[in-house]
């Protein structure tokens, strides 16, 4: 089976370029923008050799994983366009619900068989998707201004379908490790479909309040201890919510509410020890 768009995505004018291997799907999408592509273009691959994550970190995509980037072109306010990361997280979570139903996930494989358990999909601020508390996906937004004044926004989504990195300072996982049999092509088909509904709700930012409510229902770590690294400093407290602008809100150790626009979030034992 090859990559394909859902019928609804096709009807709404979305297009697809699929590759067996790429350097970076985000980089290709940005190149297409410079070549005057009108947008609504998905770039997908099962292997990415020079992908990048947030803050310039490398993002490895082993063969069989999913690397997908969506190019959107328009007259955007960048502050509002940044909230497309929340749209992407919700879309991936909905896609996972569709193609990896709870009954198909086996946890704790051993010689005696497997223990069946629900796969819990959560959204970690700002742009990660967790499965059973471990990182399953990272989302990276990049933008560039075009000569005519419009902005090209690229939403990159990397999913650990068959493999996950082990030399990282946080727990990671893959669908295969969790016992799910979904492949990259099946997941992307569902993702291209789920994007239609969530972007419709977002409605160029006019529906951000509804996106925020939906995101909070899936949010990881609410009410728990958290450490956030911001420009070299570590802020500690209790994760309360995200505000109307999707900033991260914590109650610090002095009882003050602190709103954070960008930072690296660490929960639980990592938060109590170090945000390394």
């Amino acid at each position: 089976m090859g990559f394909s768009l859902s019928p609804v995505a096709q009807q709404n004018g979305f297009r697809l370029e699929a590759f067996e291997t790429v350097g970076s799907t985000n980089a290709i999408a940005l190149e297409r923008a410079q070549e005057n592509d009108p947008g609504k273009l998905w770039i997908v691959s099962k292997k990415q050799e020079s992908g990048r994550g947030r803050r310039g970190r490398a993002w490895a995509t082993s063969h069989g994983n999913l690397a997908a980037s969506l190019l959107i072109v328009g007259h955007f306010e960048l502050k509002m366009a940044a909230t497309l990361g929340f749209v992407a997280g919700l879309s991936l979570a909905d896609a996972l619900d569709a193609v990896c139903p709870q009954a198909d996930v086996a946890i704790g494989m051993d010689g005696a068989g497997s223990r069946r358990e629900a796969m819990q999909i959560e959204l970690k601020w700002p742009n990660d998707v967790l499965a059973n508390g471990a990182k399953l996906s990272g989302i990276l937004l990049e933008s560039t201004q075009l000569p005519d004044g419009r902005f090209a926004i690229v939403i990159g989504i990397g999913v650990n379908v068959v493999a996950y990195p082990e030399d990282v300072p946080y727990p990671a996982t893959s669908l295969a490790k969790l016992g799910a049999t979904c492949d990259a092509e099946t997941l992307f088909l569902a993702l291209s479909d789920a994007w239609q509904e969530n972007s419709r709700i977002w409605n160029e930012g006019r529906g951000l309040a509804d996106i925020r409510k939906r995101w909070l229902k899936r949010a990881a770590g609410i009410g728990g201890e958290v450490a956030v690294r911001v420009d070299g400093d570590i802020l500690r407290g209790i994760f309360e919510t995200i505000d109307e602008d999707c900033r991260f809100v914590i109650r610090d150790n002095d009882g003050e509410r602190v709103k954070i626009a960008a930072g690296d979030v660490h929960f639980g034992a990592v938060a109590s020890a170090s945000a390394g």
Side-chain angles (χ1 to χ4, degrees), residues 81-137:
T83 63
L84 282 166
F86 296 88
V87 177
L90 282 168
S91 298
L92 179 56
D94 290 345
L96 289 164
D97 285 347
V99 300
C100 300
Q102 294 176 350
D104 286 348
V105 178
I107 307 297
M109 300 291 290
D110 56 34
S114 63
R115 175 169 57 88
R116 311 301 292 189
E117 183 176 301
M119 181 168 66
Q120 184 178 14
I121 300 298
E122 295 176 299
L123 302 176
K124 177 174 176 283
W125 188 91
N127 290 330
D128 287 346
V129 178
L130 309 181
N132 292 8
K135 183 170 178 175
L136 179 70
S137 170

Side-chain angles (χ1 to χ4, degrees), residues 25-269:
T25 55
N26 266 29
I28 293 174
L30 288 168
E31 288 174 6
R32 297 293 182 267
Q34 295 296 339
E35 296 165 355
N36 296 318
D37 190 280
K40 289 190 171 183
L41 174 67
W42 282 100
I43 306 290
V44 295
S45 179
K46 292 196 291 185
K47 184 177 182 181
Q48 186 171 239
E49 296 179 336
S50 55
R52 50 189 182 263
R54 293 179 63 239
R55 301 179 185 274
R57 300 178 182 123
W59 179 267
T61 305
S62 301
H63 190 270
N65 284 352
L66 174 63
S69 295
L70 174 60
L71 170 64
I72 298 176
V73 177
H75 293 283
F76 297 106
E77 179 187 353
L78 286 183
K79 179 181 176 182
M80 186 58 67
T83 63
L84 282 166
F86 296 88
V87 177
L90 282 168
S91 298
L92 179 56
D94 290 345
L96 289 164
D97 285 347
V99 300
C100 300
Q102 294 176 350
D104 286 348
V105 178
I107 307 297
M109 300 291 290
D110 56 34
S114 63
R115 175 169 57 88
R116 311 301 292 189
E117 183 176 301
M119 181 168 66
Q120 184 178 14
I121 300 298
E122 295 176 299
L123 302 176
K124 177 174 176 283
W125 188 91
N127 290 330
D128 287 346
V129 178
L130 309 181
N132 292 8
K135 183 170 178 175
L136 179 70
S137 170
I139 296 167
L140 175 67
L141 271 66
E142 296 186 280
S143 66
T144 186
Q145 189 168 20
L146 302 175
D148 62 4
R150 293 180 303 161
F151 281 94
I153 311 296
V154 175
I155 304 105
I157 304 170
V159 188
N160 300 328
V161 177
V162 299
Y164 62 94
E166 299 187 24
D167 55 342
V168 289
Y170 49 79
T173 192
S174 68
L175 292 176
K177 181 184 179 183
L178 294 172
T181 57
C182 170
D183 61 19
E185 293 91 341
T186 301
L187 180 57
F188 174 72
L189 180 67
L191 174 62
S192 72
D193 191 62
W195 177 267
Q196 302 303 308
E197 175 63 11
N198 286 290
S199 62
R200 183 194 64 78
I201 294 170
W202 182 73
N203 191 19
E204 297 185 348
R206 289 183 285 272
L208 181 58
D210 291 329
I211 290 294
R212 174 182 174 272
K213 289 176 184 176
R214 294 197 67 215
W215 192 95
L216 283 168
K217 289 179 180 178
R218 287 187 176 267
I222 287 185
E225 185 178 359
V226 65
V228 187
R229 181 180 291 277
V230 181
D231 296 329
D233 296 324
I234 297 176
L235 303 178
R236 300 183 187 277
I238 301 300
F239 174 26
E240 287 198 342
T241 188
I242 61 173
D243 72 3
E244 292 77 9
D245 295 320
C246 295
R247 292 175 296 185
F248 196 75
V249 181
I250 67 172
R251 180 79 60 177
D252 70 15
N253 295 334
D254 295 325
E256 299 293 327
R257 292 180 94 237
V258 180
K259 298 179 179 181
I260 300 165
D264 290 325
V265 173
H266 303 265
F267 295 129

